[in-house]
Amino acid sequence: MTASSRLLLDAGSGGQASHRLVADLFLKHFDNPVLAVMDDAARLHLSGPVAMSTDGFIVDPIIFPGGNIGSLAVHGTVNDVAMLGARPRYLTAGFILEEGLDMAVLETIVAAMGQAARDAGVQIVAGDTKVAPKGALDKIFITTTGIGEILVDPAPSGHRARPGDAVLLSGTMGDHGLAILSTRQGLAFETPIVSDCASLNGLVESLITTLPDVHTLRDPTRGGLATTLNEIASQSGVVVEVEEEAIPVHPAVAAGCSFLGLDPLYLANEGKLLCIVPEADAEHALALLRAHPLGGNAARIGTIQEPQGKTRAGQVLLRTPLGGRRLLGMLEGEQLPRIC
């Protein structure tokens, strides 16, 4: 092992070593006209209302089937901005790096991040790097902020679910969470489990430009589908009822969850969205989702209801295959740490 194959503490000094790291690695993979100016801030061109979101990524392992912490950081932030009915345009990225990090691994992550940004049509226009002494953190943490122009008015929101609306899902649940867990624990299943990590902005734009009255969009990440549904039910003051048999789960994920005693409805996803639309738009929305490469397994999973009788606003009900109903609560605590 040579000294240059590992990240040195000097790379965070702000001096020549820092400049070499930025020029030789980050500018190489993130190159775009805005970033290339290298002023203290990026000059952006936006008009109208904008959506903005920030997120931190500490996933373990940092490279997993279907992606790595760099591509995950882009996908996660692009998706958060898109869920407000926006077209993501720009990202910023902050890197906290551990001294001694393998430079080849770092370049793999940065290259994947640059490619994910290009695929999503966004530019990484500003950033920062810090290097912490060995042992102060685990390899690499990334924080990203995204901004984009909102395309519809009113924008989709967790507050806009209405009784009678249809609840749609763009695909299978639990893929990312189980992919991370199985890689971390060295578990091998008969069918390899791969993260669903992907940017959904193209799918969202196709949906909202055709059906501008989409009431709610949300990507069910940490806490999974069950927690996301609870958040929406609470924000909108409604009851959500979903059919257990209608919720798509990949057979390999279902088998893995059964083996490990996990519920796929609480596992994280990084390339799926929840969509709530008026009943009149439900079939059209479902067809649009299924027509997109990232929505082939889209399904209608339930309806929004008015609280009445024994049901209360904010509740999520799961109708079982035998016809019974049970409450689907919000995730309590951390089922799987460091999954994003």
Side-chain angles (χ1 to χ4, degrees), residues 165-232:
D165 285 354
V167 182
L168 313 178
L169 261 184
S170 67
T172 54
M173 293 289 96
D175 303 50
H176 176 73
L178 199 62
I180 295 296
L181 177 66
S182 59
T183 306
R184 187 186 302 168
Q185 300 300 327
L187 301 175
F189 296 102
E190 187 173 346
T191 301
I193 296 173
V194 178
S195 168
D196 58 348
C197 202
S199 289
L200 297 166
N201 52 321
L203 175 60
V204 168
E205 190 159 334
S206 168
L207 188 64
I208 62 173
T209 54
T210 306
L211 298 173
D213 196 26
V214 172
H215 286 174
T216 303
L217 291 172
R218 191 67 66 82
D219 55 338
T221 52
R222 279 189 304 172
L225 174 66
T227 299
T228 303
L229 288 173
N230 272 274
E231 291 170 352
I232 294 169

Side-chain angles (χ1 to χ4, degrees), residues 24 34 164 170 236:
D24 296 346
V34 180
S170 67
S236 293

Side-chain angles (χ1 to χ4, degrees), residues 298-319:
R300 175 176 177 152
I301 64 167
T303 57
I304 304 298
Q305 298 178 359
E306 190 90 47
Q308 57 183 348
K310 294 182 179 180
T311 63
R312 300 194 310 275
Q315 287 183 328
V316 178
L317 303 174
L318 183 73
R319 185 173 289 279

Side-chain angles (χ1 to χ4, degrees), residues 8 25 30 45 54 108 113 134 197 216 229 238 241 247 256 278-279 293 298 307 311 327:
L8 303 178
L25 184 63
F30 296 167
H45 298 275
T54 193
T108 296
M113 198 168 181
K134 190 171 181 60
C197 202
T216 303
L229 288 173
V238 296
E241 181 168 308
I247 299 171
E279 175 61 37
T311 63
L327 281 175

Side-chain angles (χ1 to χ4, degrees), residues 74-152:
V74 172
H75 296 317
T77 304
V78 163
N79 291 345
D80 285 345
V81 173
M83 293 306 126
L84 212 62
R87 178 184 294 146
R89 294 279 305 279
Y90 303 110
L91 295 181
T92 69
F95 296 84
I96 309 296
L97 308 170
E98 183 186 22
E99 178 190 15
L101 177 63
D102 188 315
M103 289 299 294
V105 171
L106 179 57
E107 177 147 19
T108 296
I109 290 168
V110 175
M113 198 168 181
Q115 188 61 52
R118 287 187 291 277
D119 291 346
V122 301
Q123 293 181 330
I124 300 173
V125 295
D128 185 40
T129 60
K130 295 290 190 298
V131 181
K134 190 171 181 60
L137 65 132
D138 188 5
K139 303 179 189 67
I140 176 172
F141 296 161
I142 301 176
T143 298
T144 45
T145 296
I147 189 168
E149 295 151 326
I150 296 176
L151 301 176
V152 290

Side-chain angles (χ1 to χ4, degrees), residues 9 48 141 164 218 226 286 331:
L9 201 55
F141 296 161
R218 191 67 66 82
L286 197 55
L331 178 66

